[in-house]
Amino acid sequence: MTTVGIRDVARLAGVSVTTVSHVLNETPHTRVADETRDRVRDAAATLGYGPNLVAQALRTRRSGLVGLLSEEIATTPHAGRIILGAQEAARAHGLTLVIVSAERGNNAEAHRADIQALLDRQVDAVLYATMYHRNIAVPANLVDVPAVLIDATEGTGALPSVVPDERGGAVAAVRHLAEAGHRRIAFLNNDDDVPATHGRLAGYRQVLSEYGIPFDELLVGASPSEPAEGYALAKEILSLQRPTAVFCYNDRMAMGAYRAARELGLSIPDDLSIVGFDNQEIIAANLFPALTTVALPHYEMGVWALETAIGMFADGAERPPGPFEPVLLPCPLVPRDSVAPPRQP
Amino acid sequence: MTTVGIRDVARLAGVSVTTVSHVLNETPHTRVADETRDRVRDAAATLGYGPNLVAQALRTRRSGLVGLLSEEIATTPHAGRIILGAQEAARAHGLTLVIVSAERGNNAEAHRADIQALLDRQVDAVLYATMYHRNIAVPANLVDVPAVLIDATEGTGALPSVVPDERGGAVAAVRHLAEAGHRRIAFLNNDDDVPATHGRLAGYRQVLSEYGIPFDELLVGASPSEPAEGYALAKEILSLQRPTAVFCYNDRMAMGAYRAARELGLSIPDDLSIVGFDNQEIIAANLFPALTTVALPHYEMGVWALETAIGMFADGAERPPGPFEPVLLPCPLVPRDSVAPPRQP
DNA sequence: CTGAAAGCGCTTACAG
DNA sequence: CTGAAAGCGCTTACAG
């Protein structure tokens, strides 16, 4: 690969490198004769010239790189959608995404080192994504660069951050059930102290009061948010109580609820309607019947974060002072086949 | 962020930048007094100096960046494991991974542009990953740089490539069933003309002959590799034939087979043993009973590709001439709970 | 309208 | 054992 430089273009066009730079970059306030412009462009095209972005970065002190530090890139498809959103937004702005998967175990010191590596690379900004919505303490050196949090908040409001509107998503889910006519709606919650647990419960309660349905604590349970535990919890609540619908903290618990319903001889959706949360395609679309659920805005959070970061380092943009309120992105309902009106009483 | 440069270190240590560079990089064949070394290191440490990698890249003509072009980053967790493998290998070698998600639709021209963007960034190598094992035609400009294919082969052998040992994985799966005592083993295959279809069938047939089991075409069927179609196919074969075990092309089809078995009143694993392929955690671990399956070596392919790429651009390394034979990585059996000996006949 | 020259932050022969 | 100087490929005042 013979590498062609700006000098080669200048020589072929018979102009100086200054002029080549001006026309190729369309430098504002610079008049260049049309005829010269064309000559330069032709020369660049015939040589297949593309500027060396490393040199450009050194000179302009802008690398065009944005770093994405993500926990657990591999284990969840969610991370993939964040990456995709950030990546497509980056490409749309001529930026390149550099990714590093954070060490497991939440080792703050290791994260600091990962961020330092990104800083040494001169990234223009860093995006910091956690694997699920939570409150975190950020590594100290994150303040050395425009940074934004994805799926995470941090108490002080020092950084812009974007998270799912958990409550709003739950409201959509439970309203969907209520609108279908359900009044005895169980809720299988997670038992971790994380924002989604509280937010989804709040949404559930909100809809109950909207519809004047009394809160019945026998219809609400909490367990680890996995299929096996969801199954046990569903079995208990479905056996003792007689809800006509159940809203599950996530699709994995809904998987368990499907099994419980099956074992109790309850047919979905005729005997029991179920709504999940997370929209994990591989579960939701392939359960039988397909699961109605609520989508998490991972792609959108990736886009939002990237664009917010750009706003922090773009020319002329002042880095906003903060403190920042977390931005909530909507969690839309994804209707499939697991909801029907309750049977006639 | 006041950025500290090599000059600041030199000034503080009372030496030239040349000397700072030598000691920090441990340039071979360079004698520096121990006392000077220490002074330099102390100065760098107290200033928190890290070299500007952009400047270093420009000067050494080595960016330390490797690009990963991956189709469909978001839709499959597989891509995540490739990224993770490549990323961790990159970090271990002081390299940084740059990722770009290829346009959907397999648009060769768009891929060419994505690769060009990577080349403009001066990446030292590019890794090209497809979303499932297949034969492809690579964009022409990929030959301008050390490149390796992940999960893909390309006819001419122009590029190193790494793919799963489909046949070996199928052999492990079917042997596992045969060793448990099964002799009537059905195979639910995919119906696409892709390497995995042929490889897994070959592995199935190989084990049959190892055990002297005649090939019975009534026990073998093919359909799209999704739960719904797997269900239909399983229902047909399980109703008409009476296999004691079924080997499924992938975990999604196995999901369908579970449902078929349930509807036919067959209990897994007592009445019917099932083995899948792909080890999609979210399915395999959460089906009930948990699915015994075969893992695809995505993480390992990511590592292999990154390290092979390094071998192509490292100092002193000659770029191997090719043609290259695809390297097969093993697909190990992941035993769970869906296999048992057949009932007494 | 166009170009000569300095400089981004490093590394690396070369000289002493 | 240590340092002065050139140069990687660009951009950008500045001058004409």
Side-chain angles (χ1 to χ4, degrees):
Chain A
M1 173 188 183
T2 54
T3 175
V4 7
I6 194 173
R7 279 215 301 263
D8 302 302
V9 179
R11 195 172 308 129
L12 181 58
V15 298
S16 71
V17 298
T18 303
T19 300
V20 174
S21 176
H22 284 318
V23 354
L24 262 23
N25 293 315
E26 299 177 354
T27 317
H29 313 307
T30 304
R31 303 287 82 191
V32 177
D34 287 350
E35 195 265 339
T36 309
R37 282 194 127 68
D38 292 345
R39 259 196 353 259
V40 169
R41 292 206 170 110
D42 287 351
T46 77
L47 295 175
Y49 171 74
N52 178 325
L53 265 26
V54 169
Q56 226 173 238
L58 178 61
R59 183 55 231 247
T60 61
R61 313 177 119 285
R62 185 147 301 171
S63 67
L65 254 25
V66 355
L68 171 61
L69 189 74
S70 170
E71 296 179 343
E72 296 290 337
I73 273 172
T75 36
T76 112
H78 294 158
R81 296 206 57 85
I82 291 174
I83 293 176
L84 188 65
Q87 206 276 311
E88 294 194 343
R91 172 161 44 192
H93 292 275
L95 300 170
T96 300
L97 196 66
V98 156
I99 71 134
V100 2
S101 176
E103 291 285 333
R104 307 97 201 277
N106 220 351
N107 177 334
E109 189 45 40
H111 286 192
R112 219 197 53 75
D114 285 328
I115 290 168
Q116 187 55 49
L118 255 13
L119 295 178
D120 289 346
R121 282 266 169 229
Q122 314 296 119
V123 294
D124 294 329
V126 357
L127 276 25
Y128 190 105
T130 50
M131 65 178 292
Y132 59 86
H133 185 174
R134 62 181 208 277
N135 295 306
I136 59 169
V138 300
N141 56 349
L142 209 49
V143 305
D144 291 344
V145 67
V148 0
L149 263 28
I150 303 178
D151 215 9
T153 55
E154 123 335 311
T156 73
L159 264 27
S161 94
V162 61
V163 296
D165 180 5
E166 309 284 357
R167 177 185 180 128
V171 165
V174 183
R175 270 195 197 144
H176 182 63
L177 291 168
E179 281 163 11
H182 294 278
R183 291 301 178 267
R184 288 189 59 72
I185 304 172
F187 178 35
L188 272 37
N189 202 0
N190 180 20
D191 66 356
D192 283 331
D193 179 19
V194 295
T197 303
H198 308 301
R200 295 176 196 180
L201 177 59
Y204 170 77
R205 300 190 74 135
Q206 174 184 326
V207 177
L208 293 192
S209 41
E210 284 174 6
Y211 280 79
I213 306 172
F215 179 83
D216 179 350
E217 63 180 18
L218 294 176
L219 285 174
V220 177
S223 76
S225 54
E226 295 300 327
E229 288 84 354
Y231 162 75
L233 186 57
K235 194 116 186 207
E236 188 184 320
I237 292 185
L238 292 177
S239 305
L240 298 177
Q241 317 301 321
R242 262 288 163 255
T244 59
V246 14
F247 170 46
C248 300
Y249 174 80
N250 65 10
D251 295 347
R252 293 196 301 282
M253 291 184 79
M255 257 181 105
Y258 268 57
R259 180 151 81 97
R262 206 156 58 222
E263 293 186 2
L264 294 170
L266 263 25
S267 147
I268 302 168
D270 297 326
D271 300 321
L272 183 71
S273 289
I274 298 189
V275 179
F277 209 113
D278 283 4
N279 194 30
Q280 293 201 268
E281 287 284 334
I282 204 165
I283 296 180
N286 292 323
L287 243 21
F288 184 81
L291 178 67
T292 292
T293 187
V294 173
L296 252 10
H298 285 106
Y299 180 90
E300 293 76 7
M301 293 195 294
V303 172
W304 187 94
L306 197 286
E307 292 185 337
T308 300
I310 290 175
M312 296 172 80
F313 68 75
D315 306 300
E318 273 314 290
R319 186 162 168 178
F324 301 93
E325 282 297 311
V327 166
L328 306 184
L329 257 30
C331 298
L333 184 78
V334 181
R336 290 200 181 85
D337 309 321
S338 60
V339 173
R343 284 204 192 283
Q344 319 303 6
Chain B
M1 170 187 184
T2 55
T3 175
V4 7
I6 196 174
R7 280 216 300 263
D8 302 302
V9 179
R11 196 173 307 129
L12 181 59
V15 299
S16 70
V17 298
T18 302
T19 301
V20 174
S21 176
H22 284 318
V23 354
L24 263 23
N25 292 316
E26 299 177 354
T27 317
H29 314 307
T30 305
R31 303 291 77 192
V32 177
D34 287 349
E35 195 266 338
T36 308
R37 283 194 126 66
D38 292 345
R39 263 205 340 267
V40 170
R41 292 207 169 107
D42 287 353
T46 77
L47 294 176
Y49 170 74
N52 178 324
L53 265 26
V54 168
Q56 224 172 238
L58 179 60
R59 183 55 233 244
T60 62
R61 315 177 116 284
R62 185 146 303 171
S63 67
L65 254 24
V66 356
L68 171 61
L69 188 75
S70 169
E71 296 180 343
E72 295 290 337
I73 273 172
T75 36
T76 113
H78 294 158
R81 297 205 57 84
I82 291 174
I83 293 176
L84 188 66
Q87 206 277 312
E88 295 193 344
R91 172 161 44 193
H93 291 276
L95 300 171
T96 300
L97 196 66
V98 156
I99 69 132
V100 2
S101 175
E103 292 285 333
R104 309 100 199 273
N106 217 353
N107 179 333
E109 189 45 40
H111 287 191
R112 219 196 54 74
D114 285 327
I115 290 169
Q116 188 56 49
L118 255 13
L119 295 178
D120 289 346
R121 282 266 169 229
Q122 313 297 120
V123 295
D124 293 331
V126 356
L127 277 26
Y128 190 104
T130 50
M131 65 176 293
Y132 61 85
H133 185 173
R134 63 180 208 277
N135 296 305
I136 60 169
V138 301
N141 54 350
L142 209 50
V143 304
D144 292 345
V145 67
V148 0
L149 262 28
I150 302 178
D151 215 8
T153 54
E154 123 335 308
T156 74
L159 263 28
S161 96
V162 61
V163 296
D165 179 5
E166 309 285 357
R167 178 184 178 128
V171 165
V174 183
R175 272 195 196 142
H176 183 62
L177 291 169
E179 280 162 11
H182 293 279
R183 292 300 176 269
R184 286 188 60 72
I185 304 171
F187 178 36
L188 270 37
N189 202 0
N190 180 20
D191 66 354
D192 283 332
D193 179 19
V194 296
T197 302
H198 308 301
R200 295 177 196 179
L201 177 59
Y204 169 77
R205 298 190 74 136
Q206 173 183 328
V207 178
L208 293 193
S209 40
E210 283 173 7
Y211 280 79
I213 307 173
F215 178 82
D216 178 351
E217 64 180 16
L218 294 176
L219 286 174
V220 176
S223 76
S225 54
E226 296 301 326
E229 288 84 353
Y231 161 76
L233 187 57
K235 195 113 185 212
E236 187 184 320
I237 292 184
L238 292 177
S239 305
L240 298 178
Q241 315 303 321
R242 261 289 162 258
T244 60
V246 13
F247 170 46
C248 299
Y249 174 80
N250 66 9
D251 295 348
R252 293 197 301 284
M253 291 184 80
M255 261 181 101
Y258 268 57
R259 180 151 81 95
R262 205 157 60 224
E263 293 187 2
L264 294 170
L266 264 25
S267 148
I268 302 168
D270 297 326
D271 299 322
L272 184 71
S273 289
I274 298 189
V275 178
F277 209 113
D278 284 4
N279 194 30
Q280 293 202 267
E281 287 285 333
I282 204 167
I283 296 179
N286 292 322
L287 241 22
F288 182 80
L291 177 67
T292 292
T293 188
V294 173
L296 252 11
H298 286 106
Y299 180 91
E300 292 77 7
M301 293 195 296
V303 172
W304 187 94
L306 196 287
E307 294 186 336
T308 300
I310 290 176
M312 296 172 80
F313 68 75
D315 306 301
E318 272 315 290
R319 185 161 169 180
F324 301 94
E325 280 298 309
V327 166
L328 305 184
L329 257 30
C331 298
L333 185 78
V334 180
R336 291 201 181 85
D337 309 322
S338 60
V339 174
R343 285 204 193 281
Q344 318 304 7

